[in-house]
Amino acid sequence: MYELKIITRFAAAHQLTMVGAKCENMHGHNWRIEVHVTGEKLDKGGVLMDFGQIKVHVADIMKQLDHRYLNELAPFSDNQPSSENIAYYVATELQKRIDRPGIRVSRVAAWESDDACATYIVD
Amino acid sequence: MYELKIITRFAAAHQLTMVGAKCENMHGHNWRIEVHVTGEKLDKGGVLMDFGQIKVHVADIMKQLDHRYLNELAPFSDNQPSSENIAYYVATELQKRIDRPGIRVSRVAAWESDDACATYIVD
Amino acid sequence: MYELKIITRFAAAHQLTMVGAKCENMHGHNWRIEVHVTGEKLDKGGVLMDFGQIKVHVADIMKQLDHRYLNELAPFSDNQPSSENIAYYVATELQKRIDRPGIRVSRVAAWESDDACATYIVD
């Protein structure tokens, strides 16, 4: 099996409720987002998929999140903008954009700092 | 499924026997430790578990290893203080401290340098 | 289960055909190669395998790729020198060199830049 990984970043504000501790204060992060796409077969060019195409899709999703207050933004206005939910959101949005048989988003990791990361692993 | 990852570090001395080569001399490393915790369900706050709580548990374990000669320290006095065994030890100690249904330590990686890492993957 | 990871690098030129876009121009990368080796049992020295031995094998493979034009080099003269195929090649060559029961190459990642990586995952 082959897996492609692309790393990108966005900066935003958020605050969490019902978790206790300092996360309840409005604050922000430079999130580092790692998307993973998997598939079994390479194409005639020897690639699973062009990295450039994944980057275009990811940039399109990042544009919606970058320099925003996530708590005011759908779907986070109804759903806590935790790193877990951000990872889930990016995975779901990316899968919609990659509409190819045999290629699927397998996981998205959202690093909220250099030492803390939440990953959504698609079943 | 969701996975949380926390990175931390400790510095210690160790030496390995029965491996041949330079590892038999007493030496040391700045180990970089990556712990992974997994679970299926997020809580009402939208998180699998508070990163801060994992950090407290990991710091507690690191305190036992940091700036020590590992060969003199249980369990490594009876069990080689290899990066493999350090990863196993941290995973086991962390699981004892995270006593929550549905949340488990899935793997711990111990980097003994920037280019060499041993991971214990919990079955 | 235990997993060892070794990171190394090589620099080479390549070009891809049939992918469209700028990859068709001859260019090059500093590839960062991450090899993963797994097994169930540690030896008497407490290690899955000596990191040094893996490094020797990987260095031997890197020597064949470093500072070359990959399109002229077997197997890439018949097979696109994409990061996917480079990862596959390194995994296959490393497995030949690690001839030990119970130890196998599980995956090789080839980073062609700091933000784009292709991994071959051995089934």
Side-chain angles (χ1 to χ4, degrees):
Chain A
M1 189 172 74
Y2 294 90
E3 179 189 75
L4 300 185
K5 174 163 30 172
I6 289 291
I7 298 178
T8 186
R9 285 170 176 79
F10 76 96
H14 80 158
Q15 65 186 130
L16 302 181
T17 56
M18 298 185 285
V19 296
K22 61 185 180 181
C23 308
E24 300 213 351
N25 297 330
M26 192 198 297
H27 61 286
H29 298 287
N30 289 335
W31 273 276
R32 170 186 154 123
I33 301 292
E34 298 174 356
V35 307
H36 296 75
V37 169
T38 59
E40 293 293 336
K41 295 220 166 122
L42 304 185
D43 66 17
K44 283 182 302 180
V47 303
L48 182 65
M49 181 176 170
D50 181 9
F51 280 127
Q53 289 184 306
I54 306 176
K55 285 182 183 177
V56 167
H57 294 318
V58 173
D60 184 40
I61 301 166
M62 292 303 106
K63 214 167 44 184
Q64 297 169 32
L65 303 176
D66 190 41
H67 284 73
R68 299 293 300 266
Y69 173 39
L70 299 181
N71 296 62
E72 292 180 344
L73 204 68
F76 305 114
S77 42
D78 293 325
N79 199 6
Q80 304 267 351
S82 61
S83 291
E84 287 88 334
N85 281 332
I86 291 169
Y88 177 85
Y89 172 75
V90 174
T92 308
E93 288 296 306
L94 182 59
Q95 186 63 67
K96 283 184 207 164
R97 285 163 173 82
I98 297 179
D99 184 21
R100 291 191 184 202
I103 297 191
R104 69 182 194 90
V105 177
S106 56
R107 56 168 69 201
V108 171
W111 290 83
E112 63 177 55
S113 69
D114 287 343
D115 61 7
C117 172
T119 300
Y120 172 63
I121 301 169
V122 184
D123 290 326
Chain B
M1 189 173 72
Y2 294 90
E3 180 188 75
L4 301 184
K5 176 164 24 175
I6 288 291
I7 297 178
T8 187
R9 286 170 175 81
F10 76 96
H14 81 158
Q15 65 187 130
L16 302 181
T17 56
M18 297 184 287
V19 296
K22 63 185 179 181
C23 308
E24 301 214 351
N25 296 331
M26 191 199 295
H27 60 287
H29 297 288
N30 289 334
W31 273 276
R32 170 186 153 122
I33 301 292
E34 298 175 355
V35 306
H36 295 75
V37 169
T38 60
E40 292 293 336
K41 295 220 164 120
L42 304 185
D43 66 16
K44 284 182 302 181
V47 303
L48 182 64
M49 182 177 169
D50 181 9
F51 280 127
Q53 288 184 306
I54 305 176
K55 286 182 182 176
V56 167
H57 294 318
V58 173
D60 184 41
I61 300 166
M62 293 302 107
K63 213 166 46 184
Q64 298 169 31
L65 303 176
D66 191 43
H67 284 73
R68 300 293 299 267
Y69 173 38
L70 299 181
N71 296 62
E72 292 179 343
L73 204 68
F76 305 115
S77 43
D78 293 323
N79 199 6
Q80 303 267 353
S82 61
S83 290
E84 288 88 333
N85 280 332
I86 291 169
Y88 177 85
Y89 173 74
V90 174
T92 308
E93 289 296 306
L94 181 58
Q95 186 63 67
K96 283 184 206 165
R97 286 164 174 81
I98 297 179
D99 184 22
R100 290 192 186 201
I103 298 191
R104 69 183 193 92
V105 178
S106 56
R107 56 168 68 201
V108 171
W111 290 85
E112 64 177 57
S113 69
D114 286 343
D115 62 6
C117 173
T119 299
Y120 172 62
I121 301 169
V122 184
D123 291 325
Chain C
M1 190 172 72
Y2 294 90
E3 180 189 74
L4 300 185
K5 175 162 29 172
I6 288 292
I7 298 178
T8 187
R9 286 170 175 79
F10 75 96
H14 81 158
Q15 65 188 130
L16 302 181
T17 57
M18 298 184 286
V19 295
K22 62 185 179 180
C23 308
E24 300 213 352
N25 297 330
M26 191 198 296
H27 60 287
H29 297 289
N30 289 336
W31 272 277
R32 171 188 153 121
I33 301 292
E34 298 175 357
V35 307
H36 295 76
V37 169
T38 59
E40 292 293 337
K41 294 220 165 122
L42 304 184
D43 66 17
K44 284 182 302 180
V47 303
L48 182 64
M49 182 177 170
D50 181 8
F51 280 127
Q53 288 184 307
I54 305 175
K55 286 181 183 177
V56 167
H57 295 318
V58 173
D60 184 41
I61 301 166
M62 292 303 105
K63 213 166 45 184
Q64 297 170 33
L65 303 176
D66 191 42
H67 284 73
R68 299 293 300 269
Y69 172 39
L70 299 180
N71 296 61
E72 292 179 343
L73 203 68
F76 305 115
S77 43
D78 293 324
N79 199 6
Q80 303 267 352
S82 60
S83 291
E84 288 88 335
N85 280 332
I86 291 169
Y88 177 84
Y89 173 75
V90 175
T92 307
E93 288 297 305
L94 182 58
Q95 186 63 66
K96 284 183 206 165
R97 286 164 174 81
I98 296 179
D99 184 22
R100 291 192 185 201
I103 297 190
R104 68 183 195 93
V105 178
S106 56
R107 56 168 69 201
V108 171
W111 290 84
E112 64 178 54
S113 69
D114 286 343
D115 61 6
C117 172
T119 299
Y120 172 62
I121 301 169
V122 184
D123 291 324

